[in-house]
């Protein structure tokens, strides 16, 4: 009788644990999907400390900017959610659409492309035990090439839902077009869902990284990006643009997926024939699948392409 009771108790505990994990995952998914929709965005960055040994060092200027951004749900699977961000510029009467960054969320992901430096990523495979219950945020450039990846657990406590991770990343566009004195950003990301939308909170190190040498932290910065939800109708132009162009970008993602499936270190060319990758892919006349594949293959320096 005691064995039967003990067995029932174990079964009950197991069932309760499974139910708790399912409920937690549902909360996680709700938080991630809560980042979709139309937002008025405020971007704010300020350099806080610098450790340069150069007395003529000039810190980055405080950056305030904003805009209207549409976060389009592209994929919604049990273990993967894909959100494409699209900027809406210009006047409401004549909006100008710009494909922006993309974020993929993958549940209990074990395969990572970790940014090293200077357009190089190192493939890493983590043990399953290290990512139990975690979500990986994979962030991609405007041309769907890799940017950075980080893993962490969503936390739901005291009415808050947030996710945090620390990972290495390339310089943001606002920096690499102006700065060449560092080559890695160590990003401490916090994404928190709020009643108004969500917040991207960053504490970043600006790092000089050279092979065979210790990293040197040149400076640190604070970033606070506020995504304030507005009516989806304000982003109709972006949603319409996506409906017209989503097929092409599905092809682009498929080709990148083939590169990532190699599971090996990756290096990308900065330019091919004097032209950046996004310049090729943003050309509306480029629609042929074979030509899209060739463009991407031409930029991949290390993965053995088929």
């Amino acid at each position: 009788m005691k064995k039967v009771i003990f067995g029932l108790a174990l079964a009950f505990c197991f069932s309760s644990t499974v139910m708790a994990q399912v409920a937690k995952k549902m909360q996680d998914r709700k938080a991630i999907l809560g980042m979709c929709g139309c937002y008025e965005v405020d971007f704010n960055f300020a350099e806080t400390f610098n450790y340069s040994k150069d007395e003529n060092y000039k810190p980055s200027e405080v950056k305030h900017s904003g805009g209207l951004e549409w976060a389009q749900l592209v994929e919604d699977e049990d273990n993967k959610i894909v959100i494409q961000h699209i900027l809406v510029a210009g006047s409401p009467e004549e909006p100008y659409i710009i494909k922006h960054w993309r974020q993929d969320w993958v549940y209990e992901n074990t395969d990572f492309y970790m940014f090293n430096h200077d357009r190089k990523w190192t493939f890493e495979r983590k043990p399953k035990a290290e990512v139990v219950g975690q979500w990986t945020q994979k962030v991609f450039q405007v041309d769907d090439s890799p940017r950075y990846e980080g893993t962490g657990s969503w936390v739901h406590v005291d009415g808050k839902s947030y996710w945090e991770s620390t990972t290495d990343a390339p310089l943001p566009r606002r920096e690499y077009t102006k700065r060449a004195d560092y080559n890695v950003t160590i990003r401490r990301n916090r994404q928190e869902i709020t009643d108004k939308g969500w917040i991207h909170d960053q504490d970043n190190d600006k790092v000089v990284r050279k092979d065979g040498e210790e990293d040197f932290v040149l400076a640190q910065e604070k970033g606070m990006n506020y995504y304030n939800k507005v009516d989806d109708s304000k982003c109709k132009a972006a949603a319409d643009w996506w409906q017209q162009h989503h097929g092409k970008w599905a092809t682009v993602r498929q080709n990148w997926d083939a590169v990532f499936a190699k599971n090996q270190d990756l290096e990308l060319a900065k330019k091919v024939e004097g032209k950046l990758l996004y310049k090729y892919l943003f050309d509306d006349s480029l629609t042929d699948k074979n030509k899209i594949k060739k463009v991407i293959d031409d930029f991949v320096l290390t993965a053995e392409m088929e």
Side-chain angles (χ1 to χ4, degrees), residues 27-241:
Q27 281 185 294
D28 297 348
R29 285 177 44 78
K30 181 180 178 181
I32 296 169
L33 291 169
M35 289 186 279
C36 296
C38 187
Y39 295 90
E40 289 181 350
V41 189
D42 293 321
F43 301 103
N44 304 278
F45 293 92
E47 196 164 295
T48 52
F49 305 100
N50 80 73
Y51 310 97
S52 175
K53 299 173 184 178
D54 183 356
E55 61 181 13
N56 296 316
Y57 174 83
K58 292 183 179 180
S60 298
E61 295 181 358
V62 173
K63 176 77 172 180
H64 297 294
S65 62
L68 192 63
E69 186 154 306
W70 174 247
Q72 169 73 48
L73 181 62
V74 177
E75 293 183 36
D76 183 8
E77 301 174 1
D78 187 45
N79 293 324
K80 184 179 180 181
I81 298 171
V82 176
I83 303 172
Q84 174 64 60
H85 292 252
I86 303 169
L87 288 173
V88 184
S91 67
E93 295 77 22
E94 296 184 1
Y96 179 67
I97 306 304
I98 306 169
K99 182 179 179 292
H100 206 196
W101 63 294
R102 188 182 106 229
Q103 53 175 329
D104 292 6
W105 291 86
V106 184
Y107 187 65
E108 296 186 346
N109 169 65
T110 58
D111 294 346
F112 294 81
Y113 277 87
M114 305 303 292
F115 182 69
N116 189 327
H117 64 85
D118 302 328
R119 299 180 300 282
K120 297 176 183 177
W121 287 259
T122 302
F123 176 76
E124 295 181 8
R125 176 164 287 156
K126 294 183 180 292
K128 289 185 178 180
E130 288 188 13
V131 296
V132 172
Q134 293 187 356
W135 288 83
T136 296
Q137 184 201 41
K138 296 174 177 278
V139 174
F140 300 86
Q141 308 271 22
V142 298
D143 50 29
D144 287 330
S145 61
R147 184 160 172 72
Y148 64 84
E149 304 182 0
T151 186
S153 298
W154 277 92
V155 178
H156 312 284
V157 64
D158 296 335
K160 296 180 180 180
S161 292
Y162 63 88
W163 174 93
E164 296 177 331
S165 80
T166 299
T167 193
D168 296 349
L171 275 61
R173 183 177 297 273
R174 60 187 160 79
E175 288 281 271
Y176 79 70
T177 56
K178 300 178 180 179
R179 301 282 296 268
D181 53 348
Y182 74 101
N183 60 345
V184 176
T185 303
I186 298 179
R187 302 176 62 110
R188 298 171 187 86
N189 292 316
R190 176 186 172 104
Q191 290 179 234
E192 180 175 345
I193 309 302
T194 69
D195 292 339
K196 295 181 179 180
W198 60 283
I199 298 171
H200 187 188
D201 184 353
Q202 303 175 47
D203 290 287
N204 301 325
D205 291 348
K206 300 179 179 183
V207 172
V208 180
R209 179 171 295 169
K210 298 179 181 180
D211 292 334
E213 298 183 16
E214 289 188 10
D215 285 357
F216 174 70
V217 179
L218 180 69
Q220 294 175 304
E221 72 171 3
K222 181 68 181 180
M224 290 294 291
N225 299 336
Y226 298 92
Y227 288 75
N228 299 307
K229 191 78 168 66
V230 295
D231 193 273
D232 285 355
S233 61
K234 289 190 174 184
C235 291
K236 184 179 183 302
D240 291 346
W241 180 91

